[in-house]
Amino acid sequence: RASSRYFVNYGFIVEGNEVNEAVVKVSIPPDDPLGEIKHKILQAPLGREFQVPKNIANRKTEDFLTFLRILCADRKELNRFEGLNFSQIVHNAARLDPISIANETRVLDMLAHVAQEALEAFDTTVEEDDEILASDAFLRESNKWMCVIMRKSEKEVLNFYVALAERCKKLLRTEMG
């Protein structure tokens, strides 16, 4: 379980928890000429929030990537989803693998963008959180101390996705070039 779940439900944090999650918000750009079609498929007129772990094989992450693949699809790529909605697509046992190199490149750009956007919503960086935790600013195991641990873990997940997107885009360029 993510540290946020332990904190909210039980009042403690597990330091170094490898299954932490972060919230990312994704929406269809208002100027997207295919916005209406994507709204119909994604069933998310105002966008959607995903709570994703630092594990790309996790179902939550697969659902998030599926959403991004549809969100980043061009008209030709969207044709394969005609008559389907997001629920039908994500409940398909096969899941939605990459559609094309071009689509996956757009997905990786969007992934880096939404993760960076979420990081920028925080008032501090991971390094600043480390400094706070190393200082005597908060009593260890206090609620404030646990909140710093929790937000730091969320930022680590987001940084993972920014770095992952950049590494994958580099690999795709290598394959294409």
Side-chain angles (χ1 to χ4, degrees):
R1 289 189 173 190
S3 290
S4 57
R5 298 254 186 232
Y6 283 120
F7 183 59
V8 170
N9 295 329
Y10 307 109
F12 69 89
I13 290 282
V14 177
E15 279 191 83
N17 187 351
E18 289 298 317
V19 294
N20 284 318
E21 299 175 337
V23 174
V24 288
K25 298 175 185 172
V26 187
S27 58
I28 300 168
D31 61 343
D32 187 334
L34 302 172
E36 194 173 314
I37 298 167
K38 292 175 184 178
H39 283 294
K40 188 179 262 187
I41 296 168
L42 295 172
Q43 301 173 313
L46 301 175
R48 184 157 172 203
E49 282 188 0
F50 289 88
Q51 195 159 342
V52 293
K54 193 165 67 170
N55 176 353
I56 59 170
N58 184 285
R59 182 176 181 98
K60 291 178 183 181
T61 308
E62 290 174 351
D63 288 353
F64 173 55
L65 291 173
T66 295
F67 191 94
L68 289 181
R69 287 178 178 127
I70 296 167
L71 179 68
C72 295
D74 61 22
R75 180 168 298 283
K76 182 181 172 191
E77 294 163 343
L78 282 174
N79 286 339
R80 71 187 281 186
F81 306 111
E82 191 173 336
L84 297 175
N85 64 47
F86 186 67
S87 295
Q88 293 166 324
I89 295 165
V90 298
H91 291 105
N92 177 350
R95 313 303 278 170
L96 181 60
D97 288 328
I99 297 170
S100 68
I101 290 174
N103 177 269
E104 202 66 9
T105 300
R106 292 188 300 269
V107 167
L108 293 169
D109 286 338
M110 179 67 76
L111 173 62
H113 173 75
V114 297
Q116 188 62 48
E117 199 172 63
L119 278 166
E120 291 169 4
F122 287 101
D123 293 333
T124 59
T125 64
V126 169
E127 296 76 23
E128 291 168 327
D129 288 343
D130 282 335
E131 289 175 17
I132 292 168
L133 294 168
S135 74
D136 292 330
F138 303 124
L139 188 61
R140 187 171 172 85
E141 307 297 328
S142 69
N143 284 347
K144 288 181 181 180
W145 181 85
M146 287 189 273
C147 284
V148 174
I149 294 282
M150 189 170 60
R151 80 171 177 224
K152 178 186 168 204
S153 69
E154 290 177 36
K155 292 176 210 170
E156 289 169 341
V157 172
L158 295 167
N159 281 322
F160 166 80
Y161 281 107
V162 170
L164 177 69
E166 295 308 316
R167 282 193 306 271
C168 290
K169 286 192 300 189
K170 184 177 178 181
L171 285 171
L172 285 175
R173 282 192 299 271
T174 303
E175 286 294 315
M176 292 171 33

